[in-house]
Amino acid sequence: MNQETLRPIIEAVVREVIRKMEKETGITGSQEEQKVQKGKLLLVFTGGTGNLDVVLAQLKTLSNKYCFDAIFTLAAEKAIGRKRVQQDIELENILNENLYDALSKTNTVIFPTLTQNTAAKAAIGIRDSVATEALACGLLLKKRVIAVTDSIPLKSMPATYARMVGEILKRVEQLGVDMCKAEELVDKVLYIKKDDNAVKTVSTCIECESEISVGPDKPIQANAFILEDKAPVTAEVIYKAISAGLKRIILPPKTIVTPMAQDTARDNKIIIEWAVK
């Protein structure tokens, strides 16, 4: 990066350090900060519209504890529009050139309408828009980055294409983005963990008949997909079960299932079970 590109990022880092020092010492930089009791969230709207009403209802609930700065991409301006969002929640519009200043004032960046295009670019490090820049800088500045994935309807895509898009989302998740569904946004922001009915643990031994082939990535006759490998289960495994027409996946004890895999299982009504020896 050249100096012109680095300058706004460095300034944002400096502001963040100053803000943390002020917080630790109890000294604030302005009277306005002393009056503000709510936390601040930075909303980055892209061109998705999936479950928009649910997203806005969740943000309205969060407005009891937070105030919002908001950035709209050009696609979001056309697909959603600022006025539509402001009908439900109060927010401060942030100009694209003030992104770094907005990042310095928050600990959490939310993408309420993440699109496949933004996710695909973010997955390979492209930073050619305000949305991808906000996501990248949020992660680089160690902010919490949350993305709502309802605008990327994997279950309505052909299996092969959905697998490809699922891998993109998995990569974004691996970079540190916290993925969730629209109805989970409040719980995600407030760190409230809910039981997932689509994922359950079995407390009895799962026995297979001797003639059934059992091994990594091999389906069994009882309408189940059984794995022996204890590697973390990703969305790709869920898609393999879907492609095989199976509705149950049986895992070794204590096998980790990624959040994206859990979401994919829930969306496609796939039951995940852990064998207990």
Side-chain angles (χ1 to χ4, degrees):
M1 290 187 183
N2 56 41
Q3 291 184 349
E4 289 301 319
T5 303
L6 285 173
R7 183 177 293 112
I9 299 176
I10 294 172
E11 290 175 351
V13 172
V14 171
R15 285 192 294 269
E16 178 71 8
V17 172
I18 294 173
R19 186 176 70 86
K20 289 183 177 180
M21 290 176 62
E22 290 174 344
K23 184 176 180 181
E24 291 175 358
T25 59
I27 302 173
T28 57
S30 69
Q31 292 182 348
E32 182 180 352
E33 283 184 315
Q34 293 177 352
K35 295 178 182 178
V36 174
Q37 299 298 321
K38 293 183 178 181
K40 179 164 287 191
L41 301 175
L42 175 59
L43 309 179
V44 181
F45 285 93
T46 55
T49 58
N51 280 334
L52 182 61
D53 289 339
V54 177
V55 169
L56 294 178
Q58 292 277 301
L59 291 174
K60 189 171 183 178
T61 300
L62 287 170
S63 68
N64 294 322
K65 296 190 67 173
Y66 298 93
C67 54
F68 305 119
D69 285 345
I71 289 178
F72 288 75
T73 65
L74 290 176
E77 292 275 17
K78 294 179 180 179
I80 305 171
R82 297 175 189 265
K83 290 183 179 180
R84 170 67 186 89
V85 176
Q86 289 176 313
Q87 288 175 1
D88 289 59
I89 60 173
E90 182 179 343
L91 53 82
E92 181 177 345
N93 290 307
I94 302 298
L95 297 177
N96 292 357
E97 55 264 34
N98 294 329
L99 167 64
Y100 304 112
D101 184 58
L103 282 168
S104 72
K105 297 176 181 178
T106 185
N107 291 320
T108 304
V109 182
I110 298 177
F111 288 76
T113 56
L114 181 70
T115 59
Q116 179 182 329
N117 185 56
T118 298
K121 289 182 177 182
I124 56 175
I126 294 177
R127 297 163 60 177
D128 65 347
S129 68
V130 66
T132 53
E133 182 70 0
L135 193 151
C137 288
L139 294 174
L140 290 171
L141 292 169
K142 297 183 178 180
K143 308 290 184 180
R144 190 172 181 220
V145 180
I146 300 172
V148 176
T149 60
D150 290 55
S151 294
I152 308 175
L154 294 179
K155 61 183 179 181
S156 66
M157 300 175 182
T160 303
Y161 192 81
R163 188 178 301 114
M164 181 268 292
V165 177
E167 286 300 311
I168 290 172
L169 294 178
K170 181 177 72 174
R171 175 57 180 159
V172 174
E173 188 176 46
Q174 290 172 340
L175 290 173
V177 177
D178 212 348
M179 304 286 196
C180 72
K181 294 297 182 181
E183 67 271 14
E184 301 167 341
L185 183 56
V186 170
D187 294 339
K188 185 67 70 173
V189 173
L190 300 179
Y191 293 97
I192 298 173
K193 187 175 182 179
K194 285 189 174 182
D195 293 333
D196 188 347
N197 293 327
V199 181
K200 63 181 183 180
T201 302
V202 292
S203 57
T204 57
C205 179
I206 298 176
E207 298 180 353
C208 300
E209 297 177 6
S210 58
E211 68 267 24
I212 296 174
S213 178
V214 178
D217 296 350
K218 292 183 179 180
I220 63 175
Q221 289 180 354
N223 196 34
F225 200 75
I226 189 167
L227 301 177
E228 290 183 342
D229 188 355
K230 287 190 176 182
V233 173
T234 64
E236 183 178 3
V237 175
I238 310 299
Y239 290 124
K240 286 182 180 179
I242 295 170
S243 298
L246 303 173
K247 291 295 184 181
R248 293 170 59 230
I249 298 176
I250 300 173
L251 309 176
K254 299 182 179 180
T255 301
I256 295 172
V257 180
T258 67
M260 183 57 63
Q262 293 183 30
D263 288 345
T264 304
R266 180 178 58 251
D267 291 345
N268 292 277
K269 297 181 180 179
I270 302 296
I271 296 174
I272 299 176
E273 299 177 338
W274 286 263
V276 179
K277 293 183 179 180

